[in-house]
Amino acid sequence: MTERNHENFAAGDEDHIGPDASLLIVDDDGPFLRRLARAMEMRGFQVETAESVAEGVAKSKGRPPKYAVVDLRLGDGNGLDVIEAIRQRRDDTRIIVLTGYGNIATAVTAVKLGAVDYLAKPADADDVFSALTQRPGEKAELPENPMSADRVRWEHIQRVYEMCERNVSETARRLNMHRRTLQRILAKRAPK
């Protein structure tokens, strides 16, 4: 992208962002956090970053942002705590939740707490920007590659696992599945 195109791209983005361009990104994956922060700054946001729940909560209390991108699973806890801290101070923040574990049930909980959307990691900067600046009532575009049947099954197992408060035995019982089979499934990465 040429410098001139980049300037036009950023100038057009400011219209979508509005006068308060404060953005807090909370993620414990340092390289991803830095890449996303740079990309969002290039699109006109004033970015602050946090690599932990504690740091995210502290920054939310100090200066609640207009926009936030919060990873659900952080090294020191759950990103839902950051969302709650933001909502205690500001109710108009547009919050996007990132989940790297395909954990749709927890993402739905985040939406109930006030997140406007959730994205599966790895999400690219364009997806994050679109989710942050989407107008109320606008519908997201349909994905070109919908989830495979294996992925849908895996998501269902994850949802039941979360509902059972991460109890493998209870999850296996509810899914009518052998406990060891469930453990093997849970140990693997999400299918594409």
Side-chain angles (χ1 to χ4, degrees), residues 44-55:
F45 286 100
Q46 298 165 354
V47 180
E48 277 199 69
T49 61
E51 292 193 44
S52 67
V53 171
E55 190 180 359

Side-chain angles (χ1 to χ4, degrees), residues 8 23 52 54 57 60-61 71-72 85 118 158-160 179 181 186:
N8 291 339
L23 168 64
S52 67
V57 168
S60 298
K61 288 180 178 178
D71 190 4
L72 280 182
Y118 64 88
Q158 291 294 320
R159 186 170 51 251
V160 174
R179 189 176 190 281
T181 303
L186 293 172

Side-chain angles (χ1 to χ4, degrees), residues 24-129:
L24 174 63
I25 304 173
V26 184
D27 199 306
D28 58 359
D29 178 349
F32 173 78
L33 177 65
R34 288 185 288 280
R35 275 193 316 272
L36 184 59
R38 275 194 308 272
M40 292 298 109
E41 284 172 347
M42 288 171 40
R43 286 166 172 80
F45 286 100
Q46 298 165 354
V47 180
E48 277 199 69
T49 61
E51 292 193 44
S52 67
V53 171
E55 190 180 359
V57 168
K59 288 188 176 185
S60 298
K61 288 180 178 178
R63 187 175 150 222
K66 172 65 177 166
Y67 299 92
V69 178
V70 181
D71 190 4
L72 280 182
R73 297 230 180 158
L74 298 160
D76 65 336
N78 193 321
L80 295 176
D81 296 335
V82 178
I83 294 171
E84 287 180 304
I86 293 170
R87 284 292 175 235
Q88 288 172 359
R89 304 264 185 302
R90 189 169 184 169
D91 62 358
D92 67 335
T93 301
R94 291 190 54 85
I95 302 170
I96 304 302
V97 170
L98 297 178
T99 177
Y101 294 85
N103 191 339
I104 303 302
T106 307
V108 169
T109 302
V111 170
K112 288 178 182 175
L113 284 173
V116 293
D117 204 350
Y118 64 88
L119 299 171
K121 284 175 81 176
D124 71 15
D126 291 333
D127 292 337
V128 172
F129 180 80

Side-chain angles (χ1 to χ4, degrees), residues 160-175:
V160 174
Y161 184 53
E162 286 297 323
M163 286 174 22
C164 294
E165 297 178 356
R166 304 178 142 289
N167 181 315
V168 174
S169 297
E170 179 61 18
T171 304
R173 186 187 68 71
R174 288 188 185 195
L175 292 171

